[in-house]
Amino acid sequence: KNQVEQSPQSLIILEGKNCTLQCNYTVSPFSNLRWYKQDTGRGPVSLTIMTFSENTKSNGRYTATLDADTKQSSLHITASQLSDSASYICVVILSSNTGKLIFGQGTTLQVKP
Amino acid sequence: KAGVTQTPRYLIKTRGQQVTLSCSPISGHRSVSWYQQTPGQGLQFLFEYFSETQRNKGNFPGRFSGRQFSNSRSEMNVSTLELGDSALYLCASSLWTGDSPLHFGNGTRLTVT
């Protein structure tokens, strides 16, 4: 069964600290993996898109890694800011010609001053 | 460039009624997809349209339907509403669902009483 599991479910950190969110998937065939950030009351916004051959991709203070062998991805946030408080959703796309998406349940991050 | 626009922003309906939600994609985007988001189930894929044709469909009952017009604008219809249909309905557009990022609207919050 195609599944995407994220951990932890929720996380509270202090402003300025780093954190890492995890995403494990059992999806086949795999096309690409995406991380989205969703602020409360808003639609998700794309952070990174990683294909099978990419190991690391950065977007400012956000760095995503992908290990296609172990089917694991992580999203590392450096020097967290209050504006990083949001839900982070991992999405795996099946083969490009189907475009079918499998969503993780998300990790809710709260950054406290 | 204007983002994805969804209307209305909020909607309250009664059980048994039907509802139509609207989505205007980013100019030039021909793919429009719809998602249901609830606290318990997270984001779930409803269906995707490309050039007025439904290309992918999620595991939702036939009460959920959609269409896409020649200008790429899309509508989603839910008939015979149930309490469990209360959710945030998100629309996303993209150039192509393969490796193209999804651009989400801010959603329509539907409450069924």
Side-chain angles (χ1 to χ4, degrees):
Chain A
K1 184 181 177 184
N2 289 321
Q3 278 187 312
V4 176
E5 295 185 353
Q6 292 186 242
S7 61
Q9 190 172 7
S10 61
L11 185 61
I12 300 174
I13 62 173
L14 292 176
E15 187 178 12
K17 297 296 185 183
N18 304 334
C19 68
T20 300
L21 313 180
Q22 299 289 343
C23 173
N24 296 339
Y25 61 93
T26 55
V27 173
S28 181
F30 172 90
S31 173
N32 60 79
L33 184 146
R34 308 174 182 191
W35 283 93
Y36 284 86
K37 177 188 178 189
Q38 185 175 20
D39 293 316
T40 302
R42 315 271 296 184
V45 174
S46 179
L47 293 174
T48 63
I49 298 176
M50 301 181 72
T51 60
F52 183 88
S53 59
E54 295 176 301
N55 298 119
T56 305
K57 185 166 277 189
S58 293
N59 179 357
R61 294 180 296 103
Y62 301 100
T63 299
T65 64
L66 175 64
D67 185 332
D69 291 331
T70 62
K71 298 188 175 181
Q72 295 180 327
S73 176
S74 64
L75 180 69
H76 186 74
I77 304 174
T78 304
S80 62
Q81 300 176 357
L82 297 179
S83 60
D84 292 330
S85 296
S87 289
Y88 292 84
I89 303 169
C90 175
V91 187
V92 178
I93 316 302
L94 296 179
S95 60
S96 295
N97 60 345
T98 68
K100 188 174 180 181
L101 295 83
I102 311 294
F103 291 91
Q105 289 282 68
T107 292
T108 300
L109 173 64
Q110 186 177 358
V111 180
K112 290 192 168 182
Chain B
K1 215 175 197 181
V4 176
T5 303
Q6 290 189 246
T7 57
R9 190 80 169 88
Y10 300 94
L11 205 50
I12 300 175
K13 289 286 187 180
T14 305
R15 262 184 309 175
Q17 289 185 314
Q18 75 166 18
V19 66
T20 299
L21 312 182
S22 180
C23 173
S24 293
I26 290 173
S27 177
H29 286 190
R30 294 166 64 191
S31 170
V32 174
S33 49
W34 289 88
Y35 306 85
Q36 182 193 68
Q37 187 174 35
T38 59
Q41 299 293 322
L43 267 164
Q44 296 185 88
F45 170 72
L46 280 156
F47 30 66
E48 184 239 345
Y49 288 87
F50 184 85
S51 295
E52 302 178 66
T53 301
Q54 187 181 87
R55 196 163 59 171
N56 283 302
K57 190 177 188 304
N59 298 322
F60 277 80
R63 300 186 295 108
F64 292 82
S65 63
R67 59 177 176 168
Q68 186 181 32
F69 302 96
S70 58
N71 61 358
S72 292
R73 191 178 69 85
S74 178
E75 287 182 347
M76 190 191 94
N77 184 276
V78 187
S79 62
T80 319
L81 284 166
E82 301 177 358
L83 294 179
D85 296 334
S86 295
L88 179 67
Y89 290 89
L90 291 161
C91 163
S93 74
S94 69
L95 289 168
W96 181 258
T97 55
D99 294 339
S100 301
L102 295 173
H103 298 266
F104 285 87
N106 287 327
T108 294
R109 172 73 63 184
L110 172 65
T111 301
V112 182
T113 62

